[in-house]
Amino acid sequence: MSTVLIVQFIALAVSVLSFGVALWLYTWVKSQPSKNSRVETIAELIRRGANTFLRREYVVLAKFAGVAAILILLFIPHPIWTGGALDNILMAVAYLVGTAFSALAGKVGIQVATIANKKTAVAAQQGIKPAFLAGFRGGAVMGMAVVGSSLLGVTLLFMLTQDATTLLGFSFGASSLALFAKAGGGIFTKTADISADLTGKVELGIPEDDPRNPAVIADNVGDNVGDVAGMGADLFDSNVASMAAALVMAMSLDNGTPGKNVLTVFLYAALGLLASILGVGTAKMGRGGSPTRALNSSTYVTTAVYAAITALATWQLNLEWRIWGAAVIGLLVGTIIGLATDYFTDDTKPPVRHVAKASQSGPAFTILSGVSYGFLSVLPAMVGIAVASFASYLITAPLGAGYAMFGIAMSAVGMLSIVGMIISNDAYGPIVDNGRGLVEMCDLGDTALEITDSLDSAGNTVKAVTKGFAIAAAGLTVIALLGAFIAEVNEAIVTRGLNIELLTGFDIMQPDVFFGLLVGAAIPAVFSAMLILGVDRNAQRMVTEIHRQFKEIPGLKEGKAGVTPEYDKCIDIATTGSLKELLPAGALAIISTLVVGFVGGVHAIGGFLTGNIVSGLLLALFMSNSGGLWDNSKKYVESGHNGGRGSDAHKSAVVGDTVGDPFKDTAGPSINTQITVVSLISSLMASLFLTFSLF
């Protein structure tokens, strides 16, 4: 048995181990006490609403996936009537498997999050330690399951086909579903969040999770469908895309037969999941400890373990130390970007406190200061991505032709190596947010509310860090996918015997490249506008419904006993509106790529991808960080600073948070999926763009 095959079986074994750990964590979470009839009732409303949305969303996306699979069958990697039908069949099947795995990631997240939220709420009555563990281990179920399934899917598909290009189809399936799932979930969650805040906090001065508010259940449902299901599909997609891009280049460097470079990709990915499993096991917190410190320390443990065990494996198997160096550069830069994001979004740091102070002067100053700090926060991350790609390029270039771009791909694999821990931290956020809502709605006491407030604040900070990490990882991944696109074009030139020079790069002074560059740079801005306008229109409909209920249901506003809002009406508005709004923005990204490719050819697509990557990363980082900054500024005021709850500063901070909501939870994190999708489409369509372009 070859060493490559042994490593692939090791990858499969680590995937199975992660499923075992996920099952143990799920069983542990489920076994925690939650015997409180009021908590059970409200939690069931949230669970039912989340599953209803997911079911309706997946029906819509299944239709899209079916149409896309037929088009792939007919045209990719080449028109089916020109011969080689098996390649087209494999690509279509790989695409459908990718969508199914991505959908499963969302479903698993919803399943555990809607159990962990009530366990966290009840555990908060016992203390911060049990509440933290319930929230974190609930999130870790998703982390282990998502990364395990991505490694399992890529490994099995590669072992069956021995074709890295087919993996691009698998990755496109994951990415296209993630794009729509993240957009749809983001529109849902921010529709409800904005509506609940504006009508509750600003108009009536009632608490965030007051059960009188008709939007409060939809708000809690939204945390699950947006921040759990959507983000799970998003990071599943990023992990698969990074491995697919690296394997395309590895197969090229190994001359079409799996060798040392393919082995390195699978080995580093498997060890990354193993490090995450060990990191999850170390996440503990003392009675007087800080939840933020506990979450961050487990991330640092995972990072250190990964660096050590990959170094040991590199030494034992006599692999290239330069490739290891590229992977570790990505890993370290990802950690640094997370720390920079933390500085701009943590309420113990100056930016958040300055925005909270500015809120005392009115909402205009809240917006101006938040926008300014949001733009400032972009620089460290963009420089970090630039340094990671440049350093990885330089360190691996001496290995030979093609290794420089492979180094960038391995840097992306390294950055995403600890994605199991990143997803665990990210899913923790909405779980404890829901737990806090249940504590307030079910009146579980001031102590439990203080504990869940502390957990929620840590969740907001860590969630901002994980979003920054996910966007940075997507940035490195799509740079690697740009390399995969060049490799696919050159393979098509050689295979078809075309009398065309092989691609080595793109000259922006060429008119077709510059044309693509400008169009590509504009797409993320238009894409973001469509999503935010979707939230705007949907939230206006929900605010009208909330006003109707407060007006027409006697005793609701006063909180009379036995009077409950019509929660389902708000859930239905959020669901129907988000499903209506999610398709146009995603379709824009896909159709614009096809138009540019068929008009300008492969050089125009090179410019298009470059412009899309740079513009997309900038906007994604700005919106994600400014949104997190506004959110924590609001929470900082609510904790008693700068006037506290009900003050003018509080109302201004709520307005800032309302603007930031669709920034950080709808448009921002959806852009990194958008740039991945257009990069994958370009690689899959490379042969067609080369043959059928207008110019």
Side-chain angles (χ1 to χ4, degrees):
M1 188 183 292
S2 71
T3 310
V4 176
L5 200 58
I6 291 171
V7 168
Q8 287 171 339
F9 277 117
I10 290 171
L12 293 177
V14 174
S15 299
V16 172
L17 175 63
S18 73
F19 293 141
V21 172
L23 181 61
W24 178 82
L25 290 168
Y26 177 75
T27 305
W28 184 90
V29 170
K30 204 170 180 181
S31 69
Q32 299 308 295
S34 62
K35 291 181 180 177
N36 181 303
S37 59
R38 178 68 176 157
V39 171
E40 291 288 348
T41 301
I42 299 293
E44 178 60 21
L45 288 173
I46 296 169
R47 187 196 68 80
R48 196 172 65 219
N51 280 310
T52 298
F53 170 79
L54 213 61
R55 185 170 60 252
R56 289 174 62 178
E57 181 183 54
Y58 283 177
V59 167
V60 172
L61 297 184
K63 294 174 183 176
F64 169 83
V67 173
I70 292 170
L71 293 173
I72 289 170
L73 177 66
L74 293 175
F75 298 108
I76 298 176
H78 41 68
I80 195 168
W81 55 85
T82 61
L86 182 60
D87 292 340
N88 291 54
I89 293 170
L90 284 174
M91 190 68 77
V93 170
Y95 169 80
L96 289 173
V97 172
T99 60
F101 270 59
S102 190
L104 186 62
K107 181 63 179 175
V108 167
I110 290 290
Q111 183 66 25
V112 68
T114 51
I115 293 173
N117 59 3
K118 62 184 179 183
K119 305 295 185 179
T120 302
V122 173
Q125 292 181 298
Q126 310 304 316
I128 193 166
K129 183 178 177 181
F132 170 81
L133 274 180
F136 177 77
R137 289 184 171 177
V141 174
M142 186 174 177
M144 296 297 97
V146 167
V147 185
S149 60
S150 65
L151 182 60
L152 179 73
V154 170
T155 307
L156 281 178
L157 193 60
F158 188 84
M159 290 175 75
L160 289 171
T161 65
Q162 298 294 299
D163 178 23
T165 304
T166 306
L167 290 176
L168 293 175
F170 178 74
S171 183
F172 178 53
S175 298
S176 59
L177 188 127
L179 176 66
F180 293 117
K182 189 64 196 161
I187 292 170
F188 183 108
T189 183
K190 293 306 110 179
T191 293
D193 198 355
I194 288 171
S195 303
D197 278 357
L198 289 179
T199 55
K201 287 184 177 180
V202 177
E203 289 183 15
L204 299 178
I206 61 177
E208 182 171 352
D209 291 299
D210 194 300
R212 288 174 288 174
N213 196 323
V216 72
I217 300 296
D219 186 10
N220 283 279
V221 169
D223 289 335
N224 291 287
V225 299
D227 289 337
V228 177
M231 186 55 81
D234 179 11
L235 285 169
F236 175 88
D237 136 56
S238 293
N239 199 36
V240 169
S242 70
M243 291 182 66
L247 285 168
V248 166
M249 284 180 267
M251 281 292 281
S252 177
L253 292 170
D254 289 338
N255 298 315
T257 303
K260 184 176 283 191
N261 293 303
V262 169
L263 180 152
T264 303
V265 177
F266 281 111
L267 181 65
Y268 283 17
L271 293 178
L273 179 53
L274 185 61
S276 291
I277 292 171
L278 296 172
V280 164
T282 67
K284 295 208 170 39
M285 182 184 152
R287 290 191 176 276
S290 160
T292 304
R293 194 179 305 120
L295 292 167
N296 286 337
S297 65
S298 59
T299 303
Y300 301 146
V301 167
T302 305
T303 302
V305 168
Y306 178 75
I309 60 178
T310 49
L312 181 63
T314 301
W315 173 61
Q316 283 289 325
L317 296 175
N318 196 28
L319 302 176
E320 289 289 350
W321 281 103
R322 289 178 180 272
I323 300 295
W324 176 83
V328 170
I329 285 169
L331 179 66
L332 294 177
V333 168
T335 305
I336 292 166
I337 289 171
L339 291 172
T341 306
D342 178 70
Y343 175 79
F344 284 98
T345 56
D346 191 336
D347 63 8
T348 64
K349 306 295 192 300
V352 168
R353 296 190 173 188
H354 286 160
V355 173
K357 186 177 180 182
S359 298
Q360 292 177 299
S361 302
F365 296 98
T366 308
I367 303 301
L368 286 171
S369 57
V371 166
S372 301
Y373 281 117
F375 278 127
L376 284 173
S377 73
V378 168
L379 181 63
M382 292 292 276
V383 170
I385 296 168
V387 167
S389 57
F390 191 43
S392 302
Y393 188 97
L394 291 178
I395 200 175
T396 53
L399 294 175
Y403 273 96
M405 287 303 295
F406 180 60
I408 294 176
M410 289 307 297
S411 188
V413 170
M415 190 178 281
L416 280 161
S417 60
I418 60 167
V419 73
M421 176 57 69
I422 296 300
I423 294 174
S424 302
N425 284 354
D426 198 80
Y428 158 92
I431 288 171
V432 296
D433 192 0
N434 264 205
R436 186 211 174 279
L438 288 169
V439 167
E440 189 166 308
M441 283 186 277
C442 303
D443 197 21
L444 298 185
D446 290 340
T447 303
L449 191 60
E450 286 175 15
I451 285 171
T452 49
D453 270 336
S454 172
L455 296 176
D456 187 27
S457 178
N460 275 324
T461 301
V462 172
K463 194 166 69 172
V465 172
T466 58
K467 280 188 173 72
F469 181 93
I471 293 165
L476 271 183
T477 299
V478 293
I479 293 169
L481 284 170
L482 189 57
F485 169 70
I486 293 172
E488 289 295 306
V489 171
N490 288 338
E491 185 182 339
I493 291 172
V494 172
T495 303
R496 292 166 179 262
L498 299 174
N499 188 25
I500 302 173
E501 283 188 24
L502 295 179
L503 278 184
T504 55
F506 304 100
D507 181 0
I508 64 167
M509 296 309 293
Q510 286 183 228
D512 51 356
V513 176
F514 197 67
F515 156 74
L517 186 74
L518 292 179
V519 176
I523 295 302
V526 178
F527 176 80
S528 301
M530 293 174 74
L531 292 180
I532 293 171
L533 283 170
V535 173
D536 177 35
R537 286 189 290 266
N538 219 24
Q540 288 188 46
R541 287 191 285 266
M542 188 176 288
V543 166
T544 301
E545 170 60 22
I546 294 168
H547 286 158
R548 182 197 68 79
Q549 291 196 33
F550 276 131
K551 183 179 179 181
E552 296 181 7
I553 300 176
L556 178 60
K557 190 180 293 187
E558 296 76 17
K560 288 185 179 178
V563 178
T564 56
E566 297 172 351
Y567 296 123
D568 286 347
K569 293 279 178 69
C570 287
I571 293 173
D572 187 62
I573 287 171
T575 302
T576 305
S578 60
L579 295 180
K580 178 184 175 184
E581 302 283 0
L582 69 86
L583 287 174
L588 166 83
I590 294 170
I591 292 169
S592 61
T593 310
L594 297 176
V595 170
V596 170
F598 284 124
V599 170
V602 292
H603 288 92
I605 281 292
F608 178 87
L609 293 179
T610 306
N612 195 265
I613 290 166
V614 174
S615 167
L617 288 176
L618 189 148
L619 281 173
L621 288 163
F622 160 68
M623 288 194 283
S624 178
N625 292 345
S626 57
L629 178 103
W630 277 316
D631 193 350
N632 277 345
S633 295
K634 176 199 70 175
K635 284 185 165 54
Y636 184 70
V637 173
E638 287 177 343
S639 65
H641 301 89
N642 302 107
R645 291 177 186 269
S647 65
D648 288 340
H650 184 217
K651 291 179 180 178
S652 297
V654 170
V655 171
D657 181 40
T658 302
V659 174
D661 275 338
F663 274 32
K664 70 181 174 65
D665 289 326
T666 308
S670 296
I671 291 176
N672 60 317
T673 315
Q674 177 263 309
I675 58 178
T676 305
V677 166
V678 301
S679 299
L680 286 165
I681 291 173
S682 300
S683 292
L684 289 170
M685 299 288 288
S687 178
L688 293 174
F689 291 156
L690 186 68
T691 310
F692 297 109
S693 62
L694 187 61
F695 296 102

